[in-house]
């Protein structure tokens, strides 16, 4: 193994609440959402090459040229080249653990971890703000993973205010349905008129504005939430399909995971105010 090789976690995120306050002319929605990270995620391995090629090991379900990891790598390489900086090639491999299209941000987190790790391998010539500007071109959720702190996000997710949120153990359940973010945001019945958060937003009502519509369109999500709510306060993350329930201890969360109906998948993880990718790369 090359001594410069890196293995970095791409953590899951939860949207602890998600309010939709409007829609921009380009169709994107204005959100107010509270992000936190989990100590569970995909694991990406970066191994420098002798030549200048970026090689990504195949991942089930996504063609390599569409993979956000590859697209992030190419974007960063171009940014380095535009500055006249030479970079080495890298082999990238992934242990994919996060459900795709599940609302836990796996693709965005993979993209952000790729930007952070390659930037580190290539000498940290770009700042975190410059990486976030590249990241927003790949997805609305990428900047929060570049920022690396639990955050209240506004705009389409790029205006970030770092905040510490109380930490819990979460049981995250994937009801095994794939939900398209674009389809939820494009649906005529989606509410888009939530009032902006008050100054003391910590004490305001917290909800996910996509949840009622997604429950109506996908009965498995409704069933999942009804089941989780028997045990703990529960909500959907992002545009679904994953739902999460908050517990005070790992044991309490694991006890409920053991009862999970076999048709669903779940995992237990602790929330983190700092991304484990930043911790691994010494960025905190
Ligand atoms: C809703 C959120 C909340 O965290 O999470 P997910 O459920 O997808 O994880 C995000 O804002 C999703 O971010 P991300 O998954 O990066 O979305 P993008 O690829 O940028 O956009 C996918 C599609 O969703 C719509 N979209 C996305 C974000 C936004 N603020 N308004 C939108 O209308 C657009 O139609 C866009 O074409
Ligand atoms: N590395 C990746 N991991 C996951 N999804 C990816 C990746 N690269 C591209 N995608 C595409 O992005 C879509 C959304 O992925 P994901 O981030 O898992 O969803 P969500 O934002 O709902 O959590 C997937 O359905 C897939 O087509």
């Amino acid at each position: 193994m090359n001594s410069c090789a890196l293995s970095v976690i791409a953590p899951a995120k939860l949207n602890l609440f998600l309010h939709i306050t409007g829609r921009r002319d380009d169709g994107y929605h204005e959100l107010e959402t509270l992000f936190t990270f989990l100590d569970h995620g995909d694991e990406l391995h970066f191994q420098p090459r002798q030549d200048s090629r970026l090689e990504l090991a195949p991942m089930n379900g996504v063609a390599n040229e569409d993979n956000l990891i590859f697209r992030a790598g190419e974007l960063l390489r171009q940014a380095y080249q535009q500055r006249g900086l030479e970079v080495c090639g890298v082999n990238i491999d992934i242990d994919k653990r996060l459900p795709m299209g599940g609302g836990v941000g796996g693709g965005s987190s993979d993209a952000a971890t790729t930007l952070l790790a390659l930037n580190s391998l290539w000498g940290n010539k770009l700042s975190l703000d410059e990486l976030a500007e590249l990241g927003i071109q790949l997805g609305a959720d990428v900047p929060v993973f570049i920022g690396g702190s639990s955050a209240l996000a506004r705009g389409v997710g790029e205006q970030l205010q770092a905040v510490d949120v109380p930490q819990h153990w979460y049981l995250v359940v994937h009801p095994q349905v794939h939900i398209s973010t674009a389809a939820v945001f494009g649906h005529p019945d989606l509410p888009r008129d939530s009032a902006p958060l008050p100054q003391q937003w910590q004490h305001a009502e917290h909800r996910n504005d996509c949840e009622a519509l997604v429950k109506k369109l996908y009965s498995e999500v409704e069933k999942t939430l009804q089941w989780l709510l028997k045990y703990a306060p529960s909500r959907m993350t992002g545009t679904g399909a994953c739902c999460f329930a908050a517990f005070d201890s790992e044991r309490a969360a694991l006890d409920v995971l053991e009862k999970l109906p076999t048709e669903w998948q779940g995992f237990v993880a602790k929330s983190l105010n700092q991304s484990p990718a930043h911790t691994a790369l010494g960025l905190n």
Side-chain angles (χ1 to χ4, degrees), residues 24-281:
R24 301 193 317 200
D25 291 344
D26 64 2
Y28 265 76
H29 290 71
E30 304 266 11
L31 310 176
E32 287 182 328
T33 183
L34 183 59
F35 284 102
T36 197
F37 305 110
L38 296 179
D39 68 349
H40 176 81
D42 298 335
E43 187 167 2
L44 275 67
H45 309 281
F46 301 88
Q47 173 87 49
R49 294 170 57 98
Q50 298 297 331
D51 60 18
S52 61
R53 294 164 66 89
L54 283 182
E55 291 283 347
L56 175 62
M59 198 180 95
N60 276 343
V62 186
N64 263 11
E65 64 273 21
D66 298 331
N67 197 309
L68 287 162
I69 298 171
F70 183 73
R71 292 177 54 208
E74 284 299 333
L75 208 56
L76 188 65
R77 179 167 47 190
Q78 278 168 25
Y80 267 72
Q81 282 170 348
Q82 279 160 11
R83 288 164 171 75
L85 300 162
E86 280 299 309
V87 298
C88 66
V90 181
N91 285 330
I92 309 176
D93 205 348
I94 178 164
D95 294 325
K96 189 74 192 164
R97 298 175 186 145
L98 298 175
M100 291 212 291
V104 291
S108 304
S109 187
D110 291 348
T113 286
T114 303
L115 292 171
L116 293 166
L118 291 182
N119 194 44
S120 168
L121 283 175
W122 293 341
N124 281 318
K125 299 291 192 276
L126 266 66
S127 66
L128 290 188
D129 284 347
E130 288 171 315
L131 295 182
E133 271 172 42
L134 292 181
I136 192 80
Q137 299 172 40
L138 299 166
D141 273 352
V142 181
V144 73
F145 289 107
I146 297 288
S149 301
S150 294
L152 179 62
R154 294 192 166 87
V156 299
E158 82 295 2
Q159 296 166 30
L160 297 168
Q161 175 191 341
V163 289
D164 269 358
V165 294
Q167 287 179 290
H168 294 288
W169 287 93
Y170 287 97
L171 167 59
V172 180
V173 175
H174 187 233
Q176 303 287 65
V177 286
H178 184 277
I179 297 178
S180 151
T181 300
V184 173
F185 277 123
H187 199 284
D189 295 345
L190 183 71
R192 300 176 164 92
D193 56 357
S194 278
L197 287 168
Q199 279 281 330
Q200 298 296 319
W201 56 269
Q202 291 88 340
H203 309 294
E205 187 213 354
H206 291 163
R207 51 177 199 287
N208 182 327
D209 282 341
C210 302
E211 198 176 289
L213 173 66
V214 172
K215 282 195 300 189
K216 203 166 83 181
L217 297 175
Y218 300 90
S219 60
E220 279 305 294
V221 175
E222 163 123 58
K223 276 192 225 159
T224 302
L225 274 170
Q226 274 174 4
W227 188 84
L228 284 173
L229 282 164
K230 289 192 293 186
Y231 300 103
S234 305
R235 189 166 294 145
M236 192 178 81
T237 178
T239 50
C242 287
C243 301
F244 57 93
F247 296 88
D248 291 335
S249 72
E250 182 178 26
R251 189 63 260 162
L254 286 171
D255 284 347
V256 180
L257 176 64
E258 280 164 19
K259 301 186 183 87
L260 192 72
T262 49
E263 65 266 31
W264 301 333
Q265 281 191 345
F267 62 86
V268 165
K270 193 173 187 207
S271 61
L272 298 170
N273 281 314
Q274 299 301 318
S275 163
H278 288 61
T279 309
L281 293 166

Side-chain angles (χ1 to χ4, degrees), residues 4-19:
C4 291
L6 282 177
S7 290
V8 189
I9 294 289
K13 58 86 176 163
L14 295 178
N15 298 96
L16 297 177
F17 62 77
L18 191 159
H19 299 176

